[in-house]
Amino acid sequence: MDSGPTVQTQGKVVDTVGEKYGVVDPESASDDIHDGPVSPTEEEKQTLRRVSDTIPWSAYLIAFVELAERFSFYGSQVVFTNFIQRGLPPGSTTGAGGARNQAGALGKGQRASTGISIFYQFWCYVTPLLGAYLADTHWGRYKTICIAVFIALIGHILLIIAAIPSVLEHSNGALACFLIALIVTGFGTGLFKANISPLVAEQYRRKHPFVITQKDGERVIVDPVLTLSRIYMYFYFFINVGALVGQIGMSYSAKYVGFWLAYTLPTIVFLLCPVILWVGRKRYIHSPPTGSVLETALKLFAIAAKGRWSLNPVKTFRALTADDFWENAKPSKLGDEKLKWMTFDDNWVDEVRRGLKACAVFCWYPVYWLAYNQLNNNLTSQAATMSTHGLPNDVLSNLDPLALIIFIPICDLLVYPALRRARINFSALKKITWGYYTGAAAMIWAAVLQHYLYKTNPCGYAASTCVDADGNQLVSPLNVWIQTGCYVLIALSEIFASITGLEYAFTKAPVNMRSLVMSAFLFTSAIASALGEAFVTLSSDPLLVWNYGTMAVLALVAGTIFWIAVRKLDAKEDELNNLSASHFDERQSKSRRQHNV
């Protein structure tokens, strides 16, 4: 039997590392090249092809937890637009519209549904900042996730109560209960999101590349960065399996049975989260709380910035972004002037520098999320003005997760390996740039489609409120499946921008700041939601063409400026990914903080 790939080590050949390469405990495998695989030489880095390592099984377990959570999150969220915007269909007490009408409940209109949906998005992506703080300082990631699951479960129960037929009879009371449910669910979701992404990647423990010989005799470099990229690709795959099944099922549940069922089924699936977390508790790599290092990082920045401020903003910017900015803050450079709170080495300073560079990259993301967020509300409303032929209008949004489920394996197994074989470096920052461009293309598609909807709808520019004398909706003859191109382009943009953003946040953050940097990445979506409130006035007839067109222009311009701004950083990608391991003495740091208190 063929033993598979082998690893070159100091003077011997062993089975390949990890579950694939023969190390008994891959999670605790050392990166010390003298005890294991040999790191590539500079020549080998330039000439050998790079491949990924095997993904640990504990990562798949955590990804399944995310699948169940995303099933419940998106399964509930997909019906929010109809629940808020449309009133109860004629003769319905549950909100079900049947084959002829779309589901509806509160009847508050498109602007209200857009505003509430944007607030919910904002809330879900602000709370990760608190989740990161609690995990890093007090509870650790695993415990924080368990508490978040309990909080979100309460929110799901409140959603069910808001959709009970006897509660829907009093629309204001139902709206109040619904809003409370959103706040509670969003709070739990935020604590969850800040920590589940770092936890899944931490299951893979190697940090430095090494050389192996494959079955066909080819020598390749096993690159941990590619492995983490692959972990996040399939993590996102699990997310979208949950989203796809949840959204399709709940769209039909709301349309043909009622909103109470559309909120009950996600709650049942959500109960899988605590079960899987408990079953796998002994298999997971747990990251204990290390105490908040944000204060230390801010002090470090203050020392590095000393003497670099000027009344001239251009001069200040150049000084703060100079290559030697962090050099004077390194403990080795301070000598006898080293401060007592500096319980770290020079390499940790380099990691902080790298983490802040990642946060600077994230500053561009709100413009991308502005375009992406059209999927959550306006595109669903657009589908309701087209000929659906019995389909729920909110089922079309499932083309996005369906496209992701199809294209993620294609990219992982075909596209990305082909690019590497061709020696084309499709780096993280290049992927993000293309994410902007494909997002802009999606919005152009939506704008053109909206233009023709206005031309073909019986009511022209009042398409979303067009009804006959009996109150039945009148729609454009254009088939709803024309939206497919828009959703496919959005899915491609997610593969390039969203998945890569998760990867970039994890790989560039110091070990004891991973939740914090991840929450900073997620916070960019909250900023986009806040900015989106400024565009709510465009989210109704007859301004929807302007809405999509504006998003397209913003994404296109931002993507171009983004690449101009980061192209030099892109050239340093390998250098940033292969920093030497740092040392941060948390025990001394914590004792000093307690002493100061």
Side-chain angles (χ1 to χ4, degrees):
M1 181 180 293
D2 194 336
S3 61
T6 58
V7 178
Q8 292 193 348
T9 64
Q10 300 291 340
K12 63 179 180 178
V13 176
V14 299
D15 290 339
T16 47
V17 176
E19 293 179 0
K20 182 177 181 180
Y21 305 126
V23 173
V24 175
D25 185 5
E27 284 84 359
S28 61
S30 171
D31 274 313
D32 188 345
I33 63 172
H34 299 294
D35 296 327
V38 173
S39 60
T41 64
E42 288 301 319
E43 181 182 355
E44 288 172 333
K45 288 180 181 179
Q46 299 299 321
T47 58
L48 296 185
R49 186 168 62 91
R50 301 190 180 215
V51 299
S52 66
D53 206 343
T54 298
I55 300 175
W57 274 105
S58 55
Y60 286 110
L61 276 177
I62 294 170
F64 196 85
V65 173
E66 175 74 347
L67 183 153
E69 191 274 339
R70 291 291 91 179
F71 178 105
S72 62
F73 179 84
Y74 286 114
S76 300
Q77 187 188 50
V78 73
V79 298
F80 284 175
T81 298
N82 285 345
F83 185 81
I84 302 166
Q85 178 177 339
R86 301 181 178 281
L88 288 169
S92 175
T93 59
T94 63
R100 182 166 177 79
N101 294 303
Q102 298 298 340
L106 302 181
K108 301 301 181 182
Q110 184 169 349
R111 287 189 180 180
S113 69
T114 300
I116 292 173
S117 297
I118 290 175
F119 164 76
Y120 184 59
Q121 289 291 117
F122 173 80
W123 179 240
C124 286
Y125 290 100
V126 165
T127 47
L129 294 172
L130 177 60
Y133 170 78
L134 292 173
D136 287 341
T137 309
H138 299 291
W139 297 337
R141 278 185 263 283
Y142 178 78
K143 184 177 179 180
T144 304
I145 289 170
C146 293
I147 293 172
V149 167
F150 175 75
I151 294 171
L153 180 61
I154 295 173
H156 280 290
I157 294 171
L158 290 174
L159 280 176
I160 298 172
I161 295 172
I164 294 173
S166 59
V167 176
L168 288 179
E169 293 177 0
H170 310 282
S171 63
N172 289 334
L175 177 61
C177 184
F178 178 75
L179 293 176
I180 294 171
L182 294 189
I183 292 171
V184 176
T185 305
F187 183 65
T189 297
L191 300 188
F192 184 91
K193 287 184 72 66
N195 295 289
I196 195 72
S197 297
L199 184 64
V200 72
E202 283 178 342
Q203 305 310 300
Y204 181 73
R205 303 301 288 173
R206 287 199 164 270
K207 298 180 179 65
H208 299 294
F210 55 94
V211 178
I212 67 168
T213 302
Q214 293 191 318
K215 295 178 181 179
D216 59 2
E218 182 187 6
R219 296 175 66 249
V220 296
I221 297 173
V222 177
D223 192 339
V225 174
L226 291 183
T227 306
L228 291 172
S229 176
R230 198 159 180 251
I231 286 173
Y232 277 121
M233 289 275 281
Y234 284 99
F235 180 70
Y236 216 75
F237 179 89
F238 274 72
I239 286 174
N240 284 280
V241 169
L244 177 65
V245 179
Q247 290 183 160
I248 291 177
M250 299 320 106
S251 295
Y252 277 96
S253 296
K255 183 175 176 64
Y256 290 102
V257 180
F259 287 101
W260 67 268
L261 182 63
Y263 294 145
T264 299
L265 293 178
T267 305
I268 294 172
V269 173
F270 189 75
L271 290 172
L272 291 173
C273 292
V275 174
I276 299 170
L277 286 169
W278 185 83
V279 168
R281 68 195 184 282
K282 294 182 180 180
R283 291 182 60 92
Y284 305 139
I285 301 298
H286 293 261
S287 295
T290 58
S292 177
V293 295
L294 178 60
E295 180 184 354
T296 303
L298 292 176
K299 288 180 179 178
L300 191 66
F301 178 84
I303 291 176
K306 188 175 181 180
R308 293 178 180 264
W309 301 98
S310 170
L311 294 176
N312 185 333
V314 175
K315 185 177 180 181
T316 299
F317 176 79
R318 289 176 178 172
L320 295 179
T321 56
D323 291 339
D324 65 345
F325 176 78
W326 293 96
E327 290 302 312
N328 292 333
K330 291 183 175 180
S332 64
K333 295 294 181 67
L334 295 175
D336 295 336
E337 298 180 4
K338 176 182 174 181
L339 300 172
K340 292 182 179 180
W341 54 266
M342 289 186 163
T343 60
F344 48 82
D345 60 9
D346 289 0
N347 291 334
W348 192 78
V349 178
D350 288 332
E351 288 185 354
V352 171
R353 173 178 63 90
R354 183 181 63 181
L356 288 179
K357 285 182 180 293
C359 291
V361 168
F362 300 153
C363 289
W364 296 90
Y365 264 83
V367 179
Y368 168 75
W369 295 125
L370 271 176
Y372 171 81
N373 285 344
Q374 301 306 304
L375 178 149
N376 297 321
N377 193 82
N378 285 327
L379 290 178
T380 300
S381 298
Q382 184 187 70
T385 66
M386 304 175 71
S387 295
T388 61
H389 304 287
L391 287 173
N393 66 308
D394 41 18
V395 82
L396 266 294
S397 62
N398 292 288
L399 289 172
D400 173 60
L402 178 61
L404 283 163
I405 290 171
I406 294 171
F407 286 120
I408 284 175
I410 290 175
C411 287
D412 176 58
L413 301 175
L414 298 177
V415 178
Y416 291 165
L419 291 174
R420 289 195 292 269
R421 286 183 184 276
R423 299 295 191 268
I424 296 174
N425 180 23
F426 196 36
S427 64
L429 294 176
K430 291 186 181 76
K431 292 177 187 176
I432 294 170
T433 303
W434 277 100
Y436 280 94
Y437 291 154
T438 48
M443 292 301 99
I444 292 172
W445 188 293
V448 173
L449 176 57
Q450 188 65 49
H451 169 73
Y452 282 101
L453 284 175
Y454 283 147
K455 290 185 67 174
T456 57
N457 189 274
C459 300
Y461 284 92
S464 62
T465 56
C466 190
V467 295
D468 61 18
D470 297 325
N472 295 310
Q473 188 176 13
L474 298 176
V475 298
S476 165
L478 295 179
N479 194 298
V480 74
W481 292 105
I482 299 174
Q483 280 192 323
T484 299
C486 184
Y487 284 110
V488 169
L489 288 167
I490 286 178
L492 289 173
S493 78
E494 286 183 76
I495 292 174
F496 295 144
S498 184
I499 296 177
T500 308
L502 294 173
E503 170 200 337
Y504 206 77
F506 182 85
T507 58
K508 300 302 183 288
V511 173
N512 49 5
M513 294 180 69
R514 281 173 176 166
S515 286
L516 180 64
V517 175
M518 185 65 71
S519 68
F521 171 65
L522 297 172
F523 183 66
T524 62
S525 186
I527 296 173
S529 296
L531 292 174
E533 293 286 355
F535 294 95
V536 169
T537 54
L538 296 178
S539 298
S540 60
D541 297 329
L543 302 174
L544 286 166
V545 174
W546 283 97
N547 176 71
Y548 298 126
T550 300
M551 300 303 163
V553 171
L554 288 175
L556 186 63
V557 172
T560 302
I561 299 176
F562 169 78
W563 175 248
I564 294 172
V566 303
R567 67 190 189 282
K568 292 182 179 179
L569 182 62
D570 181 66
K572 300 178 180 179
E573 182 74 7
D574 272 349
E575 175 188 338
L576 294 175
N577 288 335
N578 293 291
L579 296 179
S580 301
S582 66
H583 173 74
F584 187 100
D585 193 334
E586 181 53 38
R587 288 175 297 179
Q588 290 188 33
S589 179
K590 185 180 293 185
S591 65
R592 293 187 191 282
R593 286 197 300 270
Q594 292 173 346
H595 176 74
N596 291 336
V597 173

